[in-house]
Amino acid sequence: MGHSIFIVGDWGTSRLRLFLCDGGKTLETLEGPGIGKLSASPEETLFELIAPWQEQYGKSPITLTGMVGSNIGWQNVPYKHCPADASGLNGASAHFTARGTEIEIIAGLTCTNALGSPDVMRGEETQVFGAMHLHGELRTGRHLVCLPGTHTKWAVLDEGAITHFHTAPVGEFFDILTKHSVLAKDAGPITAVEPDAFIAGARKGLEATQPGLMHYLFETRSKQITGEFTAHQAGSWLSGLLIGHDVAGGRAIYGEDCAVGSITLIGTEALAALYLDVFDLAGLDGVAISGGATVVAGLRLLRSKETADAGL
Amino acid sequence: MGHSIFIVGDWGTSRLRLFLCDGGKTLETLEGPGIGKLSASPEETLFELIAPWQEQYGKSPITLTGMVGSNIGWQNVPYKHCPADASGLNGASAHFTARGTEIEIIAGLTCTNALGSPDVMRGEETQVFGAMHLHGELRTGRHLVCLPGTHTKWAVLDEGAITHFHTAPVGEFFDILTKHSVLAKDAGPITAVEPDAFIAGARKGLEATQPGLMHYLFETRSKQITGEFTAHQAGSWLSGLLIGHDVAGGRAIYGEDCAVGSITLIGTEALAALYLDVFDLAGLDGVAISGGATVVAGLRLLRSKETADAGL
């Protein structure tokens, strides 16, 4: 016992999720602070968290993805250039030993996006490869994947490789606008949107590419002043406006891919549901895949031993 | 002496500027805290500030404009609906007496903007009427006025009246993105932009209506990661992107008015200069008028007695 035990983890800016695995089974999970919120070094933080696991199973190898591999993380792992398939990405991982334990950090990806600008991701590539592992049909042909979140990613897959992608800071926008702007600062946390206001915002967002997003934003505030919106409705409207604007952009940038088949959505259930609503309004097909499952599947796939075993 | 003495003030969210006037002459000025930053009531704050003036000149009447007339101000003065000329706006002022002193608060304006949404302003209307007073040619015919700032206003004038206007929260966007977003958080205060980065951003902003602003924003960050931008360049680029996006929107919304003549810019010298650069790139004509002068001119014009004297 113990030789098939390993640990994988998604260590993003705002949180760490660790999974203790025995081959294909997840035995236990742990949560910890994000790489942007540490009070000790990444090494200290990690080994303190997994001490009980090491006591029981020994120094099992650890594979990590996300911002842990950035210049604010544990070790700055250079980005792998697109196109990248699972084996190519795996080959770009960083390997080192800490406290007698093998550590592997998955590389992020970089590309020139469809609008001609440099673009980067760390962590989402692992989810995309996990989705391919779980849903074999994504490994052949061409597919458009949308990963809504703080920095929403739109990624194009071709024959099992990520060819290029694009970032829209939708979640961050919503967050800073509701926290720091006069536009919707009393909206409160949007755990559940007000459906009518959300859809109204989404319709506006889908049209908002001309004249432009900023010329539609002030309505968030003015309709509160005129009494047409409560603060919560204003927040829901803003959420719809931003997601609508993002989806209109995705449709404009990836029109051909949108027309060919369903867009694969990878994210939390709540956020994926909002995007699916807006896809409907935009006349697009979408299929949602749970974000949580794709992380573990991707990490299992990408860790060196597993990749070798799978013959990828 | 004393009968022609009066006080006017622009009391916005972030600062108060008071002017002691003797007819057409400004004798003294004072600065105080904005209506959003008070530690005492508006009444206490004001009378403490002007105590030396009252000691010397007695209880001269006071006329105020800006957020002082909002629901976070001293007295909530209902918005006057557009179209509004100087006399109509003057008739919508609130009048009351405090500590034996006549107080007048100028109403803000509301309209349905060119995109069909409710819109509001408080304070900018005073600047626009001040500009008309200082530049008589603005009182006849049709003119497009741009007031760049925290909430940039685009306003259409027709025969001396403000017929409708539009708000784009350009300055607030820039402020919260540089303070709270990972996009350009180390940009530092943009007292002087880096010209090349600003122009590059402005070009992108002018094109950014399709796919959409949010799809161009991440370049602010990715070009720092790839080493193409310093933090300061990223901030300058972002400033250009946002102003370019705003000007493209203004051109899209008010195309006919843009084509007919020069756009009148009312604002600080530094901000007006940036907008003039972007007007150039966009093929638009602009003429800048000092914002400071228009406030006092507008307040002198709009205060009841002055308006009556001028026969408006």
Side-chain angles (χ1 to χ4, degrees):
Chain A
M1 166 142 196
H3 71 286
S4 65
I5 299 285
F6 58 89
I7 295 167
V8 297
D10 180 14
W11 208 342
T13 306
S14 52
R15 68 173 178 157
L16 162 64
R17 286 177 301 171
L18 288 166
F19 307 86
L20 177 71
C21 303
D22 182 358
K25 274 190 305 208
T26 299
L27 304 178
E28 286 183 49
T29 64
L30 271 176
E31 297 242 342
I35 212 76
K37 299 179 175 180
L38 298 186
S39 49
S41 73
E43 182 177 320
E44 281 177 276
T45 307
L46 180 71
F47 282 103
E48 192 171 312
L49 271 167
I50 64 166
W53 291 353
Q54 288 211 322
E55 208 164 294
Q56 188 168 357
Y57 299 101
K59 301 187 170 185
S60 314
I62 302 171
T63 301
L64 300 169
T65 186
M67 290 298 281
V68 64
S70 74
N71 61 358
I72 60 160
W74 191 347
Q75 188 168 117
N76 196 356
V77 186
Y79 292 101
K80 164 88 178 144
H81 276 269
C82 284
D85 60 14
S87 62
L89 183 60
N90 175 272
S93 296
H95 297 262
F96 57 97
T97 303
R99 303 190 185 187
T101 302
E102 285 173 46
I103 310 283
E104 178 181 22
I105 299 179
I106 306 291
L109 289 181
T110 186
C111 73
T112 298
N113 69 29
L115 299 180
S117 301
D119 219 319
V120 290
M121 62 164 63
R122 281 201 194 272
E124 293 93 346
E125 71 297 321
T126 302
Q127 288 192 277
V128 171
F129 287 116
M132 285 196 225
H133 187 66
L134 295 173
H135 301 269
E137 70 278 11
L138 293 174
R139 286 202 293 271
T140 56
R142 196 172 159 104
H143 302 275
L144 182 60
V145 180
C146 174
L147 300 102
T150 303
H151 286 176
T152 292
K153 306 288 182 187
W154 293 82
V156 173
L157 314 185
D158 204 351
E159 298 297 330
I162 299 175
T163 58
H164 59 98
F165 58 89
H166 192 104
T167 303
V170 184
E172 186 180 11
F173 236 57
F174 182 75
D175 189 56
I176 63 175
L177 285 175
T178 48
K179 278 190 188 143
H180 303 291
S181 155
V182 303
L183 296 176
K185 66 179 173 180
D186 300 319
I190 299 294
T191 45
V193 299
E194 205 276 322
D196 290 347
F198 176 80
I199 292 297
R203 284 190 200 282
K204 193 79 79 161
L206 286 166
E207 296 161 8
T209 51
Q210 179 74 356
L213 177 64
M214 202 148 48
H215 306 96
Y216 293 86
L217 275 173
F218 194 64
E219 187 172 337
T220 315
R221 177 162 165 81
S222 65
K223 282 200 168 162
Q224 291 177 81
I225 292 173
T226 58
E228 289 172 71
F229 278 158
T230 63
H232 182 63
Q233 284 174 319
S236 301
W237 189 90
L238 180 63
S239 170
L241 178 68
L242 296 180
I243 294 176
H245 180 79
D246 184 28
V247 170
R251 188 175 54 181
I253 298 169
Y254 302 110
E256 238 175 89
D257 294 293
C258 290
V260 171
S262 289
I263 301 165
T264 303
L265 264 169
I266 303 174
T268 63
E269 205 176 326
L271 199 48
L274 295 181
Y275 266 76
L276 284 176
D277 281 349
V278 180
F279 282 180
D280 265 355
L281 287 179
L284 300 172
D285 280 335
V287 174
I289 295 178
S290 155
T294 61
V295 174
V296 191
L299 279 159
R300 279 205 184 99
L301 174 75
L302 291 172
R303 64 183 286 269
S304 300
K305 190 172 173 309
E306 189 81 357
T307 306
D309 288 351
L312 283 167
Chain B
M1 169 150 194
H3 70 286
S4 64
I5 299 285
F6 57 90
I7 295 168
V8 298
D10 180 13
W11 207 342
T13 305
S14 52
R15 68 173 178 154
L16 163 63
R17 287 178 299 171
L18 288 168
F19 307 85
L20 177 71
C21 303
D22 182 359
K25 274 190 304 206
T26 299
L27 303 179
E28 286 183 49
T29 64
L30 271 177
E31 296 242 342
I35 212 76
K37 300 180 173 178
L38 298 187
S39 50
S41 72
E43 182 177 319
E44 281 176 279
T45 307
L46 180 71
F47 282 103
E48 192 173 311
L49 271 167
I50 64 166
W53 290 353
Q54 289 212 321
E55 206 165 297
Q56 189 168 359
Y57 299 101
K59 300 187 169 184
S60 315
I62 302 172
T63 301
L64 300 168
T65 186
M67 292 297 280
V68 64
S70 75
N71 61 358
I72 59 161
W74 191 347
Q75 186 167 119
N76 195 357
V77 186
Y79 292 100
K80 164 89 180 146
H81 277 270
C82 283
D85 59 16
S87 62
L89 183 61
N90 173 272
S93 296
H95 297 263
F96 57 96
T97 303
R99 303 191 184 185
T101 302
E102 283 173 49
I103 310 284
E104 178 181 21
I105 299 180
I106 305 291
L109 288 182
T110 186
C111 72
T112 298
N113 68 29
L115 299 178
S117 302
D119 219 317
V120 290
M121 64 164 63
R122 280 201 194 273
E124 293 92 346
E125 71 296 323
T126 303
Q127 288 193 277
V128 172
F129 287 115
M132 285 195 224
H133 186 66
L134 295 172
H135 301 270
E137 70 278 11
L138 292 174
R139 286 202 294 270
T140 56
R142 199 171 157 105
H143 302 274
L144 182 59
V145 179
C146 175
L147 300 102
T150 303
H151 286 178
T152 291
K153 306 288 180 186
W154 294 81
V156 174
L157 314 186
D158 204 351
E159 299 297 330
I162 300 176
T163 58
H164 60 278
F165 57 89
H166 192 104
T167 303
V170 184
E172 186 180 11
F173 236 56
F174 182 75
D175 188 57
I176 63 177
L177 286 175
T178 48
K179 278 191 189 143
H180 304 290
S181 156
V182 303
L183 295 175
K185 66 179 172 181
D186 300 318
I190 299 292
T191 43
V193 299
E194 205 275 321
D196 289 348
F198 175 80
I199 292 296
R203 284 190 201 282
K204 193 79 79 161
L206 287 167
E207 295 162 7
T209 52
Q210 178 74 356
L213 177 65
M214 204 150 45
H215 306 97
Y216 293 87
L217 275 173
F218 195 63
E219 188 172 335
T220 315
R221 176 162 165 80
S222 64
K223 282 201 168 162
Q224 290 176 82
I225 292 174
T226 58
E228 289 171 72
F229 278 158
T230 63
H232 182 63
Q233 284 174 319
S236 301
W237 189 90
L238 180 63
S239 170
L241 178 68
L242 296 181
I243 294 176
H245 179 79
D246 183 29
V247 170
R251 189 175 51 183
I253 298 170
Y254 303 109
E256 235 173 273
D257 294 294
C258 291
V260 171
S262 289
I263 301 165
T264 303
L265 264 169
I266 303 174
T268 64
E269 204 176 328
L271 199 49
L274 295 180
Y275 265 76
L276 284 176
D277 281 350
V278 180
F279 281 180
D280 265 355
L281 287 178
L284 300 172
D285 281 335
V287 174
I289 295 179
S290 155
T294 61
V295 174
V296 191
L299 278 161
R300 279 205 183 101
L301 174 75
L302 292 171
R303 65 183 286 268
S304 300
K305 192 175 170 308
E306 190 80 358
T307 305
D309 289 350
L312 283 165

